[in-house]
Amino acid sequence: MKNVLNSAREKISNGERLNFDEIIALYEENNLLYLAESARLVKERKSGDKVFYTINRHINLTNVCSANCPLCAFQCRSGDKQAFTMELADVEKILRESQGVDGLNEIHIVSALHPDKDFDYYLDVVKLTKKFLPNVRIAAFTPVEIANFAEKSNQTYEKVLTTLKNFGVTNLLGGGAEIFSPRVREIICPKKISADTWLEIMRTAHRLGLKSNASILYGHIETIEERVEHLLKLRELQDETGGFQTMLLFPFQPLNTELGKNFNLQRVGAWEDLKFLAITRLALDNFDNVKSFWVMLTMPIAQLSLAFGADDLGGTIGEEKIIHAAGVATHKNISRDALEKIIRESGYIPAQR
């Protein structure tokens, strides 16, 4: 292991690509301060002294879902007391409110796989967004949702993505990747699309000129090796397409989930969050940006993560329902001034994405 570790350190110093064994060796060494320093240097090669953020608004259209993933606390069945589905009038109300938000530059649309809503419903939401906010970026839908749209409309992934792009979607969201390991997916999200399908939809989106995020869900029943394999699959696709803009790390929130209950899972700690973020920055040498998702991490840990390779704090959000359904106690929004203050305290320059 010592020789592998020495090789990893030498490659980091020279800006060279790490292999699987070297990433594992760095992980097992557990030298948090070394990882922080190394990841911070890589971040500064990519984005200098800037840390990015966006002024955005999240719209979660429904929590009624046919996937019923054990990992999820957000999902409901039709008729459940807490179930909700936005109609176009509800969406319009949010969009009208959003017109008054100074500097708003992104609407973020993601929801569940509603069994009774067809593709036209989602197209109408996109058209409505474009009508009321014509100059705002529309970051909408994950590969899981794209596959659902394709099945419901009997169209190819390419046709669905082309239609969404033509109606105003500018970016695809990176959720639903979870962990690519088939062993894990069979337990945590057995009805979701496969890892290969997720990657194929992203490949198609990138070819059509739609940029996207990528993601990983960690801290549940996966192994460290499975985490690293996931990262390397993302790195491989990025080599091919160059279409990923930002990497997001989602720590699993076990509260209120079937998965958390069945496996007696607890939320991983700050050490693991920061360590894995630094490892991710070092492994994904072809990703320019790594986002620290403050809604999941809490703002103090998200701020600290800027010393561990993160260069994006996400957005102001407005309101978020999916993650908070799992019992996350963070705020649902933050002001632009507060985000900029947090970035400046860390010694970086705020830059609106």
Side-chain angles (χ1 to χ4, degrees):
M1 176 176 169
K2 186 175 181 180
N3 289 338
V4 176
L5 196 56
N6 289 339
S7 173
R9 287 174 174 262
E10 184 176 350
K11 284 185 176 181
I12 289 169
S13 296
N14 296 333
E16 298 174 10
R17 173 164 286 186
L18 298 170
N19 63 34
F20 178 89
D21 290 338
E22 290 161 344
I23 297 168
I24 294 295
L26 288 168
Y27 201 99
E28 291 178 348
E29 186 192 24
N30 203 28
N31 188 334
L32 195 64
L33 295 182
Y34 170 76
L35 291 173
E37 180 181 11
S38 301
R40 190 165 61 251
L41 288 173
V42 173
K43 171 261 180 268
E44 290 173 0
R45 289 176 195 154
K46 297 281 190 180
S47 52
D49 55 6
K50 295 179 180 178
V51 167
F52 301 99
Y53 71 93
T54 188
I55 301 174
N56 64 352
R57 177 70 188 262
H58 279 217
I59 300 177
N60 301 134
L61 295 171
T62 182
N63 62 353
V64 178
C65 189
S66 58
N68 305 126
C69 298
L71 64 83
C72 183
F74 178 66
Q75 65 187 356
C76 291
R77 291 181 172 85
S78 294
D80 286 354
K81 183 178 179 180
Q82 66 271 37
F84 75 89
T85 301
M86 288 188 181
E87 300 304 333
L88 293 181
D90 303 313
V91 177
E92 181 176 333
K93 181 181 178 182
I94 292 175
L95 295 173
R96 287 184 182 277
E97 292 171 353
S98 300
Q99 287 178 317
V101 177
D102 183 40
L104 181 78
N105 65 347
E106 179 184 275
I107 292 292
H108 180 288
I109 306 171
V110 66
S111 56
L113 307 182
H114 196 297
D116 302 322
K117 291 295 186 183
D118 59 21
F119 186 35
D120 287 341
Y121 163 78
Y122 298 93
L123 286 179
D124 287 342
V125 169
V126 173
K127 287 188 283 186
L128 201 62
T129 305
K130 191 68 176 175
K131 174 184 174 181
F132 284 94
L133 298 167
N135 300 315
V136 169
R137 183 171 61 246
I138 302 175
F141 312 124
T142 68
V144 178
E145 292 168 284
I146 299 302
N148 185 52
F149 300 159
E151 181 180 358
K152 282 180 172 291
S153 62
N154 196 28
Q155 298 181 60
T156 64
Y157 302 143
E158 180 173 353
K159 177 63 176 175
V160 167
L161 289 164
T162 299
T163 302
L164 288 169
K165 181 182 178 184
N166 290 341
F167 278 103
V169 170
T170 54
N171 297 73
L172 203 63
L173 300 175
E178 321 308 2
I179 287 284
F180 290 150
S181 162
R183 177 193 73 84
V184 177
R185 295 182 82 82
E186 184 61 30
I187 298 169
I188 71 172
C189 54
K191 294 183 182 179
K192 268 187 181 171
I193 58 175
S194 68
D196 287 344
T197 300
W198 191 97
L199 292 164
E200 181 57 34
I201 290 172
M202 283 300 192
R203 180 179 289 107
T204 304
H206 297 169
R207 178 168 51 80
L208 294 172
L210 287 166
K211 298 291 187 179
S212 72
N213 293 333
S215 69
I216 185 170
L217 181 74
Y218 68 94
H220 41 90
I221 63 168
E222 85 287 1
T223 65
I224 301 306
E225 289 78 9
E226 286 166 333
R227 286 192 206 175
V228 175
E229 288 166 356
H230 182 105
L231 297 179
L232 296 187
K233 284 182 181 293
L234 291 175
R235 190 173 77 178
E236 181 180 355
L237 183 57
Q238 182 74 331
D239 277 344
E240 180 185 336
T241 69
F244 289 122
Q245 293 179 305
T246 306
M247 178 64 184
L248 290 88
L249 290 82
F250 297 144
F252 178 59
Q253 310 290 335
L255 194 63
N256 301 332
T257 68
E258 181 183 338
L259 184 67
K261 179 181 178 181
N262 290 346
F263 289 87
N264 194 28
L265 298 174
Q266 296 185 10
R267 169 76 166 84
V268 298
W271 185 286
E272 185 68 18
D273 287 331
L274 296 170
K275 176 181 171 181
F276 186 47
L277 189 144
I279 289 283
T280 298
R281 171 59 91 175
L282 295 172
L284 297 183
D285 58 350
N286 53 4
F287 276 65
D288 287 339
N289 307 110
V290 175
K291 183 180 295 187
S292 183
F293 198 37
W294 64 265
V295 177
M296 279 189 161
L297 292 173
T298 75
M299 189 52 78
I301 299 302
Q303 183 184 34
L304 188 58
S305 75
L306 300 180
F308 285 77
D311 67 350
D312 189 329
L313 275 184
T316 51
I317 292 183
E319 183 180 18
E320 192 286 326
K321 297 178 180 177
I322 297 175
I323 296 161
H324 284 88
V328 176
T330 56
H331 294 296
K332 293 187 177 183
N333 59 76
I334 190 171
S335 71
R336 176 181 190 163
D337 289 345
L339 270 178
E340 291 196 349
K341 178 177 182 291
I342 285 162
I343 292 168
R344 288 195 181 96
E345 282 180 351
S346 307
Y348 290 109
I349 298 172
Q352 187 170 349
R353 177 160 41 79

